[in-house]
Amino acid sequence: MCFKSLKRSSALVVIVFLFSACQQAPEKPEYPLHYSDAIFGTSFIIKAPALPDSVTSNEIQLKVKKLLDELNRQMSTYLQDSELSKINQNQTGEWIAVSDALYQVLKQANSISELSNGAFDITVGPLVNLWGFGPKGISFVAPDEDKIKQQLLNTGYKNLLFDDEKQQIKKQIPQLYLDLSAIAKGYAVDQVGALLESNGIVDFMVEIGGELRLKGLNIQNKPWRIAVEKPAADQRMIQKVLPLTDISLATSGDYRNFFEVEGVRFSHTIDPRSGKPITHKLASITILSDTTMKADALATALMVLGSEQGYQLAEKQKIAALFIIKTKEGFVEKATDSFVAILR
Ligand code: ADP
Ligand code: MG
């Protein structure tokens, strides 16, 4: 899908937003399942400290690969013949039947849009592309105001209609273009987790492009230790290490995937209200949730809303969120009650 986080080759940008702190010293035991590769324009890691006798690591890897390839064929905007790309190309204005997986992701996206009053909006695709963060690639120049206004007319999550009975969608604006980069990685993590569980694997970590699902314990029989990175573009340092189990985690940040023009930084997160990249002082946000799909989308939603409005919404909705805010004195953390309660 390139559910985004495309690694850009220039000096400007790059990579994963968070890394897992499960690094082991060489003498420590190795995970019998330790699979990492590239997908969706980003990387993934899967680890499990034990496998049942019924499956081998190789078999699991093949199953995971098959699953991820299938999700890519459903939800990528980078593959011209994916299910999603065909929907994007379809300008008939008629009802379109949708696969189970895609329908589930579209419905979850819609509910996060409603919850965030449109801060999360998968129809911002044309603006993502206009700002050069989409499949067409990097622009490095801010687009004209006129073009932004023009593209804004083609957006709005309310223009995507759902028919639950027939599992169909309808684009009320024929040009409506959907971009699942901020939610589909999370969905894929959940699906890989479910696949591992259905194969009898009870402890595991699944990470795709910084979105994670953690189940049970690690190879030392302890909760998984996940490092949240310090949100700075020029260094890779740890802000905080979280011991986690039976939970999902996602981060959103403006410190990796951005471009800069004469000192002004343009984030790949677009505020659907203005059609422009967000510019506020919220450097990163980490969400804990029962599903990775929800965590992924909420991270982007709260990133758009910023440290004040986003924090208020997170408290009101009992979302477990950690905000890292840029100040003159350095990075300041602000956690919601739910976040504190989980880590207590
Ligand atoms: P992050 O980890 O920073 O959240 P993601 O890859 O999960 O990064 O999501 C960012 C991507 O989501 C962007 O590159 C863009 O394709 C898409 N996007 C940008 N703004 C929004 C928005 N307001 N709502 C939904 N998706 C968005
Ligand atoms: Mg995300």
Side-chain angles (χ1 to χ4, degrees), residues 42-251:
T42 186
S43 57
F44 70 83
I45 304 175
I46 297 163
K47 288 183 186 180
L51 291 177
D53 292 341
S54 51
V55 281
T56 64
S57 168
N58 231 357
E59 284 164 357
I60 293 291
Q61 294 190 25
L62 286 173
K63 287 182 188 188
V64 168
K65 180 83 178 72
K66 194 166 158 243
L67 171 64
L68 292 177
D69 284 343
E70 190 188 340
L71 293 177
N72 204 26
R73 282 193 302 275
Q74 286 169 317
M75 299 180 206
S76 172
T77 48
Y78 286 69
L79 295 178
Q80 281 312 300
D81 59 349
S82 71
E83 187 182 358
L84 186 65
S85 288
K86 284 188 190 144
I87 291 169
N88 284 337
Q89 289 149 17
N90 183 332
Q91 302 208 352
T92 60
E94 287 167 6
W95 286 99
I96 308 166
V98 175
S99 68
D100 293 351
L102 189 55
Y103 198 76
Q104 208 185 321
V105 176
L106 292 172
K107 285 291 282 191
Q108 177 76 76
N110 186 259
S111 86
I112 304 286
S113 296
E114 305 231 300
L115 180 102
S116 64
N117 204 10
F120 181 84
D121 191 335
I122 57 167
T123 71
V124 292
L127 287 151
V128 172
N129 295 343
L130 187 63
W131 283 92
F133 291 109
K136 293 212 177 96
I138 311 161
S139 66
F140 296 122
V141 269
D144 296 343
E145 288 285 338
D146 282 354
K147 282 204 178 133
I148 297 171
K149 279 194 192 125
Q150 204 185 319
Q151 288 299 349
L152 267 175
L153 297 174
N154 293 332
T155 67
Y157 72 94
K158 289 188 175 148
N159 292 310
L160 184 66
L161 307 183
F162 292 87
D163 174 352
D164 289 345
E165 221 149 85
K166 295 197 176 140
Q167 203 168 290
Q168 292 182 335
I169 57 164
K170 184 176 175 163
K171 302 197 291 179
Q172 257 187 332
I173 301 175
Q175 300 93 321
L176 207 65
Y177 175 101
L178 313 175
D179 170 3
L180 295 175
S181 301
I183 187 166
K185 284 194 295 279
Y187 178 77
V189 169
D190 289 332
Q191 292 306 304
V192 172
L195 175 81
L196 299 181
E197 285 187 56
S198 72
N199 280 276
I201 301 172
V202 288
D203 300 288
F204 58 79
M205 179 200 89
V206 178
E207 182 258 357
I208 305 179
E211 330 297 1
L212 287 118
R213 172 119 197 105
L214 306 149
K215 193 87 206 311
L217 302 172
N218 69 12
I219 205 159
Q220 282 108 22
N221 238 6
K222 298 216 171 90
W224 298 91
R225 289 169 56 77
I226 304 303
V228 176
E229 218 180 328
K230 228 181 239 308
D234 55 353
Q235 55 175 347
R236 304 208 72 162
M237 283 166 70
I238 293 170
Q239 171 84 18
K240 209 176 184 65
V241 177
L242 310 173
L244 295 170
T245 185
D246 297 340
I247 204 152
S248 289
L249 176 149
T251 46

Side-chain angles (χ1 to χ4, degrees), residues 285-301:
I285 174 138
T286 298
I287 304 284
L288 298 176
S289 181
D290 55 342
T291 75
T292 324
M293 170 160 66
K294 222 181 336 167
D296 195 6
L298 282 173
T300 294

Side-chain angles (χ1 to χ4, degrees), residues 12 140-141 259-266:
L12 284 175
F140 296 122
V141 269
F259 67 86
E260 211 166 275
V261 178
E262 299 190 356
V264 179
R265 184 185 287 192
F266 295 101

